[in-house]
Amino acid sequence: EQESEWKNSLAFCLLPERVKTALKLDTWPLLARAWLRSYIFAHILYLGLGLTWGYYIYSVYGHLLFPKGNVPQNNDILEQIKVSLGALPLYSLLPALCEHIVEQGYTLAYVRVEEYGGPLYLFFFFAYMALVEFGVYWNHRLLHDLRIGYDKLHYVHHKYNKENTLSPFAGLAFHPLDGILQAIPYFWTLFVIPMHSLTYELMLFGTGVWTTNIHDCIEVECQPIMGAGYHTIHHTTYRHNYGQFFTYMDRYFGTIQYPENSGKAQETKAK
């Protein structure tokens, strides 16, 4: 609870005093305050990162990165912002609810690194992320394979299916339930593997940075990272590259498709 209040103070210091007084935040349950904190941070992350990223890749370096002019139209970007902001209230509930469950002691999450020590912290971190990668892969794949999942949820995100419709702002432009389904492996894995609670929360918000990156259509090869080149293919073929951070799951389950200019694609053609 002490750590939660510390994190709340980081977010609430951004609110004007009269707003905090009007909202009577001190009377809110801890879960509600955690939700508001996540909601504030989510807006800062999404809008701040998206605007900064978009300014540099389109305005500053656009002539180098997009020589053919394949940049998204303002209408597409505004629609992506609208969809994302509409989903943020529900997105923000997941980390707040997870934090509440962790505080009740229902998971294997722990607060102090000293509880296990540095070596075990690193071991559990990599084991946790491996299971998360597996869970995200299959949740994402099933949202394509199951017709109801795609038609009712995932289609909202896949309306942006060309390079000139994708942008950093598309990273959170999901149906709210779709976005939660793809993030929930971060939560359920806490019941299986001990994970440092603050690291878990940082990784959860870190996915917001990552998803901004992989929707900018800027291909930078760095094996085995599942970068924007792979994810652009995913948005155009619908049947490849379901992984989150790495290519391992797609390679193992046979759904990998390499970007045309990548070294792996050239090796495959040579064979």
Side-chain angles (χ1 to χ4, degrees), residues 93-123:
L93 184 60
L94 180 62
L97 187 59
C98 292
E99 181 179 285
H100 176 72
I101 292 172
V102 166
E103 288 172 347
Q104 299 306 307
Y106 299 138
T107 72
L108 298 180
Y110 60 96
V111 177
R112 307 293 178 196
V113 174
E114 294 78 15
E115 293 179 45
Y116 287 95
L120 275 179
Y121 166 84
L122 292 174
F123 173 78

Side-chain angles (χ1 to χ4, degrees), residues 216-266:
D216 65 8
C217 297
I218 300 172
E219 183 179 335
V220 178
E221 185 176 5
C222 186
Q223 286 290 338
I225 303 298
M226 180 72 75
Y230 289 92
H231 201 69
T232 302
I233 291 172
H234 173 74
H235 270 263
T236 53
T237 70
Y238 303 93
R239 290 296 176 184
H240 302 93
N241 305 348
Y242 300 104
Q244 184 180 25
F245 295 119
F246 300 102
T247 60
Y248 298 128
M249 293 299 164
D250 285 280
R251 288 159 63 182
Y252 184 79
F253 292 109
T255 54
I256 192 71
Q257 181 169 321
Y258 298 104
E260 187 175 344
N261 297 324
S262 71
K264 286 288 187 180
Q266 301 305 321

Side-chain angles (χ1 to χ4, degrees), residues 164-205:
N164 62 355
T165 60
L166 285 168
S167 83
F169 289 102
L172 294 182
F174 292 88
H175 185 289
L177 292 179
D178 181 2
I180 286 178
L181 283 172
Q182 294 198 58
I184 209 165
Y186 282 88
F187 171 56
W188 72 41
T189 309
L190 294 175
F191 290 92
V192 180
I193 294 177
M195 179 64 173
H196 183 242
S197 57
L198 183 58
T199 304
Y200 145 75
E201 289 185 41
L202 291 174
M203 288 303 303
L204 192 59
F205 276 91

Side-chain angles (χ1 to χ4, degrees), residues 20-52:
K20 288 189 281 189
T21 302
L23 292 175
K24 298 180 180 178
L25 289 178
D26 292 340
T27 66
W28 287 29
L30 191 60
L31 176 60
R33 295 202 298 276
W35 170 83
L36 182 59
R37 175 230 305 160
S38 297
Y39 188 59
I40 292 170
F41 283 152
H43 274 81
I44 294 171
L45 180 68
Y46 176 70
L47 293 175
L49 188 62
L51 289 169
T52 303

Side-chain angles (χ1 to χ4, degrees), residues 57-76:
I57 67 171
Y58 298 136
S59 298
V60 179
Y61 299 110
H63 62 292
L64 298 174
L65 299 172
F66 303 96
K68 297 180 182 179
N70 291 334
V71 298
Q73 299 297 310
N74 288 336
N75 287 343
D76 292 318

